[in-house]
Amino acid sequence: MSAEPATAAAAPPAGTEPDRWTVDPVTVGPGDVLVLRALGLGDALTAVAPLRGVRRMLPGHRLVLAAPSAVGAWLAGLGVVDGVLPVPGLVPLPPTAGGHVAVNLHGRGPRSHELLLASRPERLVGFAAPEAGHDGPPWRRDEHEVHRWCRLVTGAGGPCGPEDLRLRAHRPAPGDAPVLIHPGAASAARRWPAERWREVAAALAADGHRIVVTGSPAEAELAAAVVAGIDAAENRCGALDLDGLARTVGAAAVVLSADTGVAHVATALAVRSVVLFGPTPPSWWGPAVDPGLHTVLWHGDPAARAWGDPHADRLDARLAAVTPAEVLTAARAQLDASRP
């Protein structure tokens, strides 16, 4: 696979079956790079830029990603990586031949470092972790996720930056492109109330826009509440796999969501978006490229020493402070900007 500029890639292809990209762990050895990023969709997409840096660092090596199967296969289908070592999280890796280069894009260690060191690499690229006996650059708490990992990989010899996040160049949406609303999030702290999403959906439908609502099967009740009584709203919650979700995002005029994986899909595909932040500041996880395409709404204090818990079981006060009027204003501005 070649390390072409991020803007050269097309939209995600259909049919990226996990088995097609699964690598036999005993074949991982000299000439390979094993990268650990055993996290979800949004985390995987923020790693696209440093993964491209790893490719530049070792262009003749096979790039194997240790990650959840579906997400890893999707990135392999795009050519970002060459294969997947399926792992569900921070668990012991299967035995490898050893002698490869290991890159820790998962965390600061020591646990993630120790798991990679157990695979017997020739070299480990990672942040400093004295507990694991590894020397590297220092971890910085107050740093954007993309900049953090690009700093690590660039320092190791693989230049990369936020512009490498793009999976395609921006494409102006056709006039009939829908507004995509993704109301869900993994935790209640990042889940804006359904009745507010419905208010936004109803107002945009009254403006003449088609609405598409997406979500996981577990979010069916939430999605149903958002589309209730809105004839122009289509509920695709639970009906899309990862390929289908990416195609749906790629065809949208604007994507409205909280700080969750779909927001990162919109960033990667250069689709206009409005992202609602709460417990986590956008300076850590917000869109890192194409600022004109993405509007961030946040009522936190950038100078605060701490913010909320993104995994909490109640709505974060900063997210609760975002109003439907603000979201509508931002969405309409992005829709206006999308018109020729």
Side-chain angles (χ1 to χ4, degrees):
M1 300 286 182
S2 63
E4 295 295 329
T7 55
T16 50
E17 300 86 358
D19 289 348
R20 177 182 174 188
W21 304 105
T22 299
V23 170
D24 184 346
V26 300
T27 68
V28 177
D32 292 329
V33 187
L34 178 60
V35 179
L36 178 64
R37 184 75 170 176
L39 298 163
L41 177 60
D43 300 272
L45 286 167
T46 58
V48 167
L51 283 169
R52 287 187 159 129
V54 171
R55 181 82 77 184
R56 295 175 187 131
M57 180 175 70
L58 296 165
H61 287 55
R62 180 176 63 162
L63 181 50
V64 179
L65 179 64
S69 181
V71 172
W74 185 63
L75 291 179
L78 291 168
V80 177
V81 299
D82 300 319
V84 185
L85 194 63
V87 290
L90 205 57
V91 298
L93 302 175
T96 67
H100 52 280
V101 175
V103 180
N104 187 354
L105 298 184
H106 188 97
R108 73 176 82 181
R111 178 60 175 160
S112 49
H113 282 24
E114 291 167 350
L115 294 177
L116 281 170
L117 289 169
S119 69
R120 299 179 295 119
E122 177 188 28
R123 174 191 177 194
L124 171 64
V125 175
F127 285 108
E131 307 94 324
H134 180 72
D135 187 23
W139 176 277
R140 298 171 186 165
R141 174 180 176 270
D142 192 11
E143 186 173 22
H144 193 285
E145 185 74 359
V146 174
H147 296 165
R148 170 182 292 123
W149 298 112
C150 284
R151 174 170 63 89
L152 173 69
V153 174
T154 297
C160 55
E163 65 280 358
D164 290 306
L165 290 173
R166 301 188 195 97
L167 296 176
R168 72 177 194 188
H170 173 62
R171 301 173 182 177
D176 62 346
V179 173
L180 188 153
I181 296 178
H182 189 90
S187 63
R190 294 182 286 121
R191 206 174 296 138
W192 205 48
E195 61 272 16
R196 300 192 195 180
W197 281 122
R198 188 188 177 283
E199 182 177 340
V200 169
L204 292 174
D207 288 347
H209 298 287
R210 290 191 299 121
I211 310 296
V212 171
V213 176
T214 59
S216 69
E219 294 165 338
E221 184 176 345
L222 173 62
V226 173
V227 303
I230 305 174
D231 293 338
E234 179 185 353
N235 186 355
R236 298 187 190 175
C237 183
L240 302 172
D241 60 9
L242 187 48
D243 286 326
L245 177 63
R247 288 193 299 271
T248 302
V249 170
V254 64
V255 174
L256 313 181
S257 76
D259 170 26
T260 190
V262 166
H264 296 287
V265 178
T267 300
L269 297 181
V271 173
R272 295 182 181 276
S273 72
V274 178
V275 189
L276 286 57
F277 276 79
T280 304
S283 61
W284 288 6
W285 281 92
V289 70
D290 300 324
L293 297 179
H294 309 293
T295 302
V296 168
L297 301 177
W298 188 55
H299 289 284
D301 178 6
R305 295 181 59 86
W307 296 280
D309 177 4
H311 309 294
D313 59 2
R314 65 177 61 186
L315 179 65
D316 184 81
R318 286 154 285 260
L319 181 56
V322 177
T323 67
E326 287 179 277
V327 177
L328 278 168
T329 297
R332 286 167 173 155
Q334 287 289 1
L335 288 164
D336 286 345
S338 71
R339 297 189 178 100

